[in-house]
Amino acid sequence: MWKPRFTLDDIAAAVAEGHRPLADWQPLTEGENSQVFAAEDGDRQVVVRACKRRDGFDVEARVAAMLAGSAVRAPETVAIGPVGDAWWSVTTRLPGVRLCDLPPDRVADAAESVAEAMRRIHTADVTASTGFGGIDPATGNGRQSAWHDPVPGPGAWSALSFEDRKLVDALTDLYTTDAAALPEQRALLHGDFSADNLIVDGDAVGVIDFECARYGDPLWDIAYQLFWAGPWPVMAPQARAAAAGLDDSADTRARLRLHMTAAGLNGAAFYAHDDRVPELQLMLRRLAPLLEDPPSLSGLDGYWIHPGR
Protein backbone atom coordinates (compact mmCIF):
# COMPACT_ATOMS: atom_id res chain seq x y z
CA MET A 1 0.00 0.00 0.00
CA TRP A 2 2.58 2.57 1.09
CA LYS A 3 5.78 0.67 0.28
CA PRO A 4 7.70 1.80 -2.84
CA ARG A 5 9.22 -0.76 -5.21
CA PHE A 6 12.41 0.77 -6.52
CA THR A 7 15.41 -1.15 -7.78
CA LEU A 8 18.59 -0.95 -5.76
CA ASP A 9 20.18 0.97 -8.63
CA ASP A 10 17.39 3.58 -8.44
CA ILE A 11 17.90 4.13 -4.72
CA ALA A 12 21.70 4.10 -4.90
CA ALA A 13 21.66 6.69 -7.68
CA ALA A 14 19.29 8.97 -5.76
CA VAL A 15 21.42 8.74 -2.60
CA ALA A 16 24.59 9.42 -4.60
CA GLU A 17 23.02 12.54 -6.09
CA GLY A 18 21.56 13.89 -2.85
CA HIS A 19 24.28 12.80 -0.41
CA ARG A 20 27.22 10.86 -1.85
CA PRO A 21 27.86 7.38 -3.30
CA LEU A 22 27.63 4.53 -0.79
CA ALA A 23 29.39 1.18 -0.99
CA ASP A 24 28.65 -2.48 -0.18
CA TRP A 25 24.87 -2.33 -0.42
CA GLN A 26 23.03 -5.28 1.17
CA PRO A 27 19.26 -5.88 1.54
CA LEU A 28 17.86 -5.93 5.07
CA THR A 29 14.47 -7.08 6.36
CA GLU A 30 11.88 -4.64 5.04
CA GLY A 31 9.31 -2.80 7.12
CA GLU A 32 5.57 -2.59 6.45
CA ASN A 33 6.07 0.67 4.57
CA SER A 34 9.72 0.78 3.51
CA GLN A 35 12.49 -0.85 1.53
CA VAL A 36 15.60 -1.26 3.69
CA PHE A 37 19.31 -1.73 2.90
CA ALA A 38 22.63 -1.70 4.71
CA ALA A 39 25.57 0.17 3.16
CA GLU A 40 28.90 1.78 3.94
CA ASP A 41 29.22 5.55 4.06
CA GLY A 42 32.93 6.17 4.25
CA ASP A 43 34.14 4.52 7.44
CA ARG A 44 30.71 4.02 9.02
CA GLN A 45 27.92 1.52 8.60
CA VAL A 46 24.55 3.02 7.63
CA VAL A 47 20.96 1.96 6.95
CA VAL A 48 19.12 3.28 3.88
CA ARG A 49 15.33 3.21 3.71
CA ALA A 50 12.93 4.23 0.96
CA CYS A 51 9.35 5.19 1.84
CA LYS A 52 6.43 6.97 0.18
CA ARG A 53 6.13 9.48 3.02
CA ARG A 54 8.83 11.87 4.20
CA ASP A 55 7.21 12.90 7.50
CA GLY A 56 8.42 9.84 9.38
CA PHE A 57 12.02 10.43 8.35
CA ASP A 58 11.80 14.06 9.46
CA VAL A 59 10.31 13.05 12.82
CA GLU A 60 13.18 10.59 13.27
CA ALA A 61 15.72 13.32 12.59
CA ARG A 62 14.03 15.59 15.13
CA VAL A 63 13.97 12.85 17.80
CA ALA A 64 17.60 11.88 17.09
CA ALA A 65 18.64 15.47 17.75
CA MET A 66 16.55 15.48 20.94
CA LEU A 67 18.22 12.29 22.20
CA ALA A 68 21.76 13.25 21.23
CA GLY A 69 23.99 12.97 24.29
CA SER A 70 21.38 11.03 26.27
CA ALA A 71 21.64 7.45 27.51
CA VAL A 72 19.35 6.25 24.70
CA ARG A 73 21.16 4.31 21.96
CA ALA A 74 19.47 5.57 18.79
CA PRO A 75 20.58 6.11 15.17
CA GLU A 76 21.66 9.51 13.89
CA THR A 77 20.02 10.83 10.74
CA VAL A 78 22.70 11.50 8.11
CA ALA A 79 20.67 12.68 5.11
CA ILE A 80 17.20 12.62 3.55
CA GLY A 81 16.29 13.10 -0.10
CA PRO A 82 13.88 12.25 -2.93
CA VAL A 83 13.74 9.14 -5.10
CA GLY A 84 11.03 9.11 -7.76
CA ASP A 85 7.69 9.73 -6.03
CA ALA A 86 9.11 8.75 -2.62
CA TRP A 87 11.94 9.55 -0.22
CA TRP A 88 15.13 7.96 1.06
CA SER A 89 16.79 8.32 4.45
CA VAL A 90 20.33 7.44 5.53
CA THR A 91 20.90 6.80 9.24
CA THR A 92 23.81 5.37 11.18
CA ARG A 93 23.55 1.64 11.86
CA LEU A 94 23.52 0.41 15.45
CA PRO A 95 25.67 -2.68 16.17
CA GLY A 96 23.85 -5.84 17.22
CA VAL A 97 20.93 -8.07 16.24
CA ARG A 98 17.20 -7.31 16.16
CA LEU A 99 15.39 -8.70 19.20
CA CYS A 100 12.98 -10.61 16.95
CA ASP A 101 15.91 -12.46 15.35
CA LEU A 102 17.32 -13.79 18.64
CA PRO A 103 16.64 -17.30 20.01
CA PRO A 104 13.93 -17.38 22.74
CA ASP A 105 16.37 -17.71 25.65
CA ARG A 106 18.27 -14.59 24.59
CA VAL A 107 15.00 -12.70 24.09
CA ALA A 108 14.07 -13.47 27.71
CA ASP A 109 17.56 -12.55 28.96
CA ALA A 110 17.32 -9.14 27.26
CA ALA A 111 13.91 -8.26 28.74
CA GLU A 112 15.18 -6.12 31.63
CA SER A 113 17.59 -4.22 29.36
CA VAL A 114 14.74 -3.62 26.92
CA ALA A 115 12.55 -2.25 29.72
CA GLU A 116 15.40 0.04 30.80
CA ALA A 117 15.78 1.34 27.23
CA MET A 118 12.09 2.23 27.27
CA ARG A 119 12.42 4.02 30.62
CA ARG A 120 15.29 6.09 29.24
CA ILE A 121 13.15 7.25 26.34
CA HIS A 122 10.30 8.13 28.70
CA THR A 123 12.62 10.21 30.90
CA ALA A 124 14.20 12.15 28.02
CA ASP A 125 14.10 15.93 28.42
CA VAL A 126 11.07 17.28 26.52
CA THR A 127 10.93 20.71 28.16
CA ALA A 128 12.02 22.47 24.96
CA SER A 129 8.79 21.39 23.26
CA THR A 130 5.05 21.69 23.85
CA GLY A 131 1.90 19.76 22.99
CA PHE A 132 0.84 16.13 22.84
CA GLY A 133 0.48 13.39 20.25
CA GLY A 134 2.44 13.06 17.01
CA ILE A 135 5.51 15.28 16.63
CA ASP A 136 5.59 18.11 14.10
CA PRO A 137 9.09 17.77 12.63
CA ALA A 138 9.22 21.47 11.72
CA THR A 139 8.86 22.61 15.34
CA GLY A 140 9.46 19.55 17.52
CA ASN A 141 6.12 20.21 19.24
CA GLY A 142 3.17 17.85 19.60
CA ARG A 143 0.37 18.31 17.08
CA GLN A 144 -2.41 18.11 19.70
CA SER A 145 -3.33 20.35 22.62
CA ALA A 146 -4.38 17.39 24.82
CA TRP A 147 -3.31 13.77 25.15
CA HIS A 148 -5.38 11.20 23.32
CA ASP A 149 -4.69 8.80 20.47
CA PRO A 150 -6.94 9.29 17.43
CA VAL A 151 -8.84 6.12 16.49
CA PRO A 152 -10.15 5.20 13.02
CA GLY A 153 -13.44 6.67 11.88
CA PRO A 154 -16.45 4.82 10.40
CA GLY A 155 -14.98 4.75 6.92
CA ALA A 156 -12.25 2.35 8.01
CA TRP A 157 -14.72 -0.46 8.65
CA SER A 158 -16.91 -0.54 5.53
CA ALA A 159 -15.84 -4.10 4.60
CA LEU A 160 -16.50 -5.64 8.04
CA SER A 161 -19.32 -8.04 8.81
CA PHE A 162 -22.20 -6.84 10.98
CA GLU A 163 -20.87 -8.62 14.09
CA ASP A 164 -17.32 -7.36 13.60
CA ARG A 165 -18.62 -3.85 13.02
CA LYS A 166 -20.57 -4.05 16.30
CA LEU A 167 -17.32 -4.89 18.09
CA VAL A 168 -15.29 -2.01 16.66
CA ASP A 169 -18.19 0.42 17.17
CA ALA A 170 -18.47 -0.61 20.84
CA LEU A 171 -14.73 -0.24 21.37
CA THR A 172 -14.67 3.10 19.56
CA ASP A 173 -17.50 4.37 21.76
CA LEU A 174 -15.69 3.13 24.87
CA TYR A 175 -12.48 4.87 23.84
CA THR A 176 -14.16 8.11 22.79
CA THR A 177 -16.10 8.30 26.07
CA ASP A 178 -13.18 7.53 28.38
CA ALA A 179 -10.24 9.13 26.54
CA ALA A 180 -11.13 12.59 27.85
CA ALA A 181 -10.24 11.38 31.34
CA LEU A 182 -6.72 10.31 30.36
CA PRO A 183 -4.12 12.13 32.48
CA GLU A 184 -2.05 14.72 30.69
CA GLN A 185 1.26 13.09 31.45
CA ARG A 186 3.83 14.23 28.93
CA ALA A 187 6.80 12.05 28.10
CA LEU A 188 8.55 11.14 24.87
CA LEU A 189 7.06 7.90 23.52
CA HIS A 190 8.54 5.66 20.85
CA GLY A 191 5.13 4.75 19.44
CA ASP A 192 6.18 1.40 17.92
CA PHE A 193 8.28 -0.20 20.67
CA SER A 194 8.32 -3.68 19.15
CA ALA A 195 10.80 -6.52 18.80
CA ASP A 196 11.79 -5.53 15.26
CA ASN A 197 12.76 -2.02 16.40
CA LEU A 198 15.11 -3.13 19.20
CA ILE A 199 18.79 -3.92 18.55
CA VAL A 200 20.54 -6.12 21.12
CA ASP A 201 24.33 -5.90 21.39
CA GLY A 202 25.45 -7.92 24.42
CA ASP A 203 23.89 -6.21 27.44
CA ALA A 204 23.14 -3.02 25.51
CA VAL A 205 19.86 -2.33 23.73
CA GLY A 206 19.47 0.21 20.94
CA VAL A 207 16.18 1.55 19.60
CA ILE A 208 15.47 2.34 15.94
CA ASP A 209 12.57 3.65 13.81
CA PHE A 210 11.29 6.63 15.77
CA GLU A 211 8.96 7.82 13.00
CA CYS A 212 5.90 7.10 15.18
CA ALA A 213 7.30 9.02 18.16
CA ARG A 214 4.88 11.21 20.11
CA TYR A 215 4.36 12.98 23.42
CA GLY A 216 1.98 11.56 25.98
CA ASP A 217 1.31 8.98 28.67
CA PRO A 218 4.29 6.59 29.05
CA LEU A 219 1.85 3.74 29.66
CA TRP A 220 1.07 3.93 25.94
CA ASP A 221 4.31 2.16 24.96
CA ILE A 222 3.71 -0.54 27.58
CA ALA A 223 0.12 -1.03 26.42
CA TYR A 224 1.38 -1.37 22.84
CA GLN A 225 3.70 -4.16 23.96
CA LEU A 226 0.92 -5.88 25.88
CA PHE A 227 -1.42 -5.76 22.91
CA TRP A 228 1.10 -7.24 20.47
CA ALA A 229 2.51 -9.80 22.92
CA GLY A 230 -0.42 -12.12 22.17
CA PRO A 231 -0.10 -12.40 18.39
CA TRP A 232 3.69 -12.01 18.51
CA PRO A 233 5.09 -14.06 21.45
CA VAL A 234 8.62 -12.66 21.09
CA MET A 235 7.22 -9.47 22.65
CA ALA A 236 5.84 -11.21 25.75
CA PRO A 237 9.07 -11.16 27.88
CA GLN A 238 9.60 -7.45 27.28
CA ALA A 239 5.92 -6.69 27.97
CA ARG A 240 6.11 -8.51 31.31
CA ALA A 241 9.33 -6.71 32.25
CA ALA A 242 7.93 -3.29 31.35
CA ALA A 243 4.72 -3.89 33.31
CA ALA A 244 6.44 -5.40 36.35
CA GLY A 245 7.07 -2.07 38.04
CA LEU A 246 3.58 -0.64 37.57
CA ASP A 247 1.20 -0.08 40.45
CA ASP A 248 -1.76 -2.43 40.18
CA SER A 249 -4.42 0.26 40.50
CA ALA A 250 -7.73 0.77 38.75
CA ASP A 251 -6.30 3.92 37.12
CA THR A 252 -3.31 2.07 35.69
CA ARG A 253 -5.47 -0.76 34.36
CA ALA A 254 -7.95 1.67 32.81
CA ARG A 255 -5.20 3.60 31.03
CA LEU A 256 -3.56 0.42 29.75
CA ARG A 257 -6.92 -0.84 28.50
CA LEU A 258 -7.63 2.40 26.63
CA HIS A 259 -4.19 2.55 25.04
CA MET A 260 -4.43 -1.13 24.03
CA THR A 261 -7.83 -0.38 22.47
CA ALA A 262 -6.38 2.48 20.42
CA ALA A 263 -3.38 0.39 19.32
CA GLY A 264 -5.64 -2.50 18.32
CA LEU A 265 -8.17 -0.39 16.43
CA ASN A 266 -5.40 1.32 14.45
CA GLY A 267 -3.78 -2.03 13.69
CA ALA A 268 -7.10 -3.49 12.57
CA ALA A 269 -7.81 -0.47 10.35
CA PHE A 270 -4.39 -0.82 8.70
CA TYR A 271 -5.06 -4.47 7.82
CA ALA A 272 -8.64 -3.73 6.75
CA HIS A 273 -7.44 -1.02 4.36
CA ASP A 274 -4.84 -3.42 2.95
CA ASP A 275 -7.43 -6.24 2.67
CA ARG A 276 -5.30 -8.55 4.82
CA VAL A 277 -8.10 -10.69 6.21
CA PRO A 278 -6.16 -13.14 8.47
CA GLU A 279 -4.31 -10.30 10.20
CA LEU A 280 -7.53 -8.30 10.55
CA GLN A 281 -9.32 -11.23 12.20
CA LEU A 282 -6.40 -11.69 14.58
CA MET A 283 -6.66 -8.03 15.59
CA LEU A 284 -10.40 -8.37 16.20
CA ARG A 285 -9.92 -11.46 18.39
CA ARG A 286 -7.29 -9.55 20.33
CA LEU A 287 -9.61 -6.57 20.76
CA ALA A 288 -12.72 -8.42 21.94
CA PRO A 289 -11.58 -8.99 25.59
CA LEU A 290 -10.95 -5.24 25.97
CA LEU A 291 -14.70 -4.64 26.18
CA GLU A 292 -14.40 -5.71 29.83
CA ASP A 293 -12.21 -4.17 32.50
CA PRO A 294 -9.37 -6.52 33.60
CA PRO A 295 -9.45 -7.49 37.28
CA SER A 296 -5.72 -6.99 37.99
CA LEU A 297 -2.23 -6.95 36.56
CA SER A 298 -1.39 -10.12 38.46
CA GLY A 299 -3.04 -12.21 35.73
CA LEU A 300 -0.80 -10.71 33.06
CA ASP A 301 -0.50 -13.86 30.97
CA GLY A 302 -4.12 -14.87 31.44
CA TYR A 303 -5.64 -11.55 30.38
CA TRP A 304 -3.30 -9.00 28.88
CA ILE A 305 -0.94 -11.27 26.98
CA HIS A 306 -2.95 -14.42 26.24
CA PRO A 307 -6.63 -13.57 26.76
CA GLY A 308 -8.97 -16.54 26.69
CA ARG A 309 -6.30 -19.15 27.30
Side-chain angles (χ1 to χ4, degrees), residues 42-63:
D43 60 355
R44 62 183 171 182
Q45 301 292 312
V46 296
V47 173
V48 183
R49 286 169 295 156
C51 182
K52 292 273 184 147
R53 296 179 56 195
R54 174 169 178 159
D55 279 4
F57 292 153
D58 289 332
V59 170
E60 265 196 334
R62 172 68 70 168
V63 173

Side-chain angles (χ1 to χ4, degrees), residues 70-88:
S70 74
V72 179
R73 294 166 57 88
E76 169 195 350
T77 296
V78 177
I80 300 171
V83 52
D85 61 349
W87 300 87
W88 55 261

